Amino acid sequence: MSSVRSRGAFIVIEGLDRSGKTTQVATLQTRLETEGIPVKLFKFPDRTTTIGQMIDSYLRSQSELDDHVIHLLFSANRWELAASIEQLLAAGTTVLCDRYAFSGVAFSTAKGLSLEWCRSPDISLPAPDVTLFLNITPEQARSRGGYGEERYEKEELQRKVRDVFQQISSEFTEATWVTIDAGREREDVAEDVWKIVYPLTGGLAIPLQRLWERTS
Ligand code: Z5A
Ligand code: MG
């Protein structure tokens, strides 16, 4: 009988534009480090790789790409870092991820591609142990300085993105997809995040799951 070695937890932060994902993962990373818990933060898109630079150029409207092509590049950007994520988890490190495959599906589906097609290239990526979805209203997003200059930062697209995220979340259990009201003070949001993440940092004895394998 094979036994599963304890591993690190894989925590994904997703959410609407300006919901405070980057703010919250940074706070969480600092707090984990302060507690002496080994942690590594990833951010997607990772704009530092060759693929990431192509994505960056597209998002800044400095290049044009077919919708399918940019979708596959976002997915490839995750696959090129998937082995590192797995190695860190196996070594007992808690891995935090600022956006992941759910953003990939939400944005490309909102642009008009089919949800099933959008999901395909991300099937079998490491699956998060929990996804924290930071939820804010478009009005709250506007009060945070509104949307920026990048290609997807338009209110109508963001409304569609919100609907697709809703659809994606319905396939997960309450334990693996947690929606957090991110329209509150930073400290209150951070406290909710901490209460969910901290109990997962003592080492997990369950095997790492694969994304969407059961639906493939
Ligand atoms: N995209 C995709 O299409 N496919 C994919 O596979 C992936 C991504 C992975 C770039 O992403 C685009 O890529 C994105 C989705 C698409 N397009 N859009 N839109 P990005 O992650 O690089 O985007 P970003 O520039 O980091 O923006 P963001 O993620 O939407 O912002 P955020 O991280 O959620 O928020 P923040 O930067 O932490 O905070 C925003 C502002 O609000 C800032 O001034 C904070 O100080 C303030 N803030 C934060 N929290 C609070 C609270 N609680 N109260 C008040 N103010 C707050
Ligand atoms: Mg961000």
Side-chain angles (χ1 to χ4, degrees):
M1 202 169 69
S2 66
S3 64
V4 180
R5 281 182 53 208
S6 176
R7 63 170 175 85
F10 185 22
I11 316 286
V12 166
I13 314 275
E14 283 279 10
L16 302 170
D17 209 40
R18 297 292 177 271
S19 58
K21 297 176 293 299
T22 301
T23 304
Q24 290 300 328
V25 284
T27 304
L28 179 59
Q29 180 184 23
T30 304
R31 195 162 173 186
L32 289 168
E33 283 168 354
T34 305
E35 296 281 335
I37 296 164
V39 59
K40 170 84 179 158
L41 171 61
F42 288 82
K43 170 166 173 43
F44 291 112
D46 180 335
R47 304 186 193 217
T48 65
T49 70
T50 304
I51 292 168
Q53 284 163 19
M54 293 170 76
I55 295 171
D56 181 61
S57 160
Y58 173 82
L59 286 172
R60 292 171 189 268
S61 301
Q62 288 168 354
S63 60
E64 294 302 319
L65 291 169
D66 174 85
D67 288 344
H68 300 82
V69 174
I70 184 63
H71 183 78
L72 294 172
L73 288 177
F74 273 116
S75 178
N77 189 224
R78 285 182 280 279
W79 277 109
E80 64 181 337
L81 292 162
S84 305
I85 292 175
E86 283 196 48
Q87 281 158 17
L88 285 159
L89 292 171
T93 302
T94 298
V95 174
L96 308 179
C97 205
D98 182 354
R99 290 193 191 270
Y100 197 52
F102 312 115
S103 278
V105 173
F107 279 82
S108 295
T109 304
K111 286 163 76 182
L113 302 184
S114 92
L115 193 140
E116 278 315 304
W117 189 89
C118 290
R119 214 173 7 201
S120 315
D122 286 318
I123 290 173
S124 299
L125 276 173
D129 293 296
V130 67
T131 300
L132 306 176
F133 183 79
L134 303 190
N135 199 26
I136 51 163
T137 63
E139 292 69 34
Q140 287 164 333
R142 232 178 280 132
S143 78
R144 291 180 185 183
Y147 301 114
E149 297 295 309
E150 289 201 335
R151 191 182 282 267
Y152 294 158
E153 299 183 327
K154 313 265 180 329
E155 198 150 330
E156 201 201 331
L157 180 71
Q158 296 288 338
R159 282 183 196 277
K160 289 187 191 158
V161 166
R162 166 186 285 270
D163 293 344
V164 188
F165 268 128
Q166 183 75 40
Q167 211 177 328
I168 295 169
S169 71
S170 66
E171 297 170 5
F172 288 81
T173 64
E174 280 179 19
T176 54
W177 186 287
V178 182
T179 299
I180 293 175
D181 175 3
R184 297 168 296 152
E185 294 297 321
R186 289 171 181 76
E187 297 72 22
D188 296 333
V189 179
E191 206 46 43
D192 280 6
V193 168
W194 182 252
K195 279 188 197 140
I196 295 159
V197 172
Y198 183 63
L200 299 175
T201 58
L204 299 180
I206 48 169
L208 183 66
Q209 303 291 303
R210 302 275 151 198
L211 203 54
W212 291 315
E213 276 198 333
R214 273 166 295 166
T215 58
S216 61

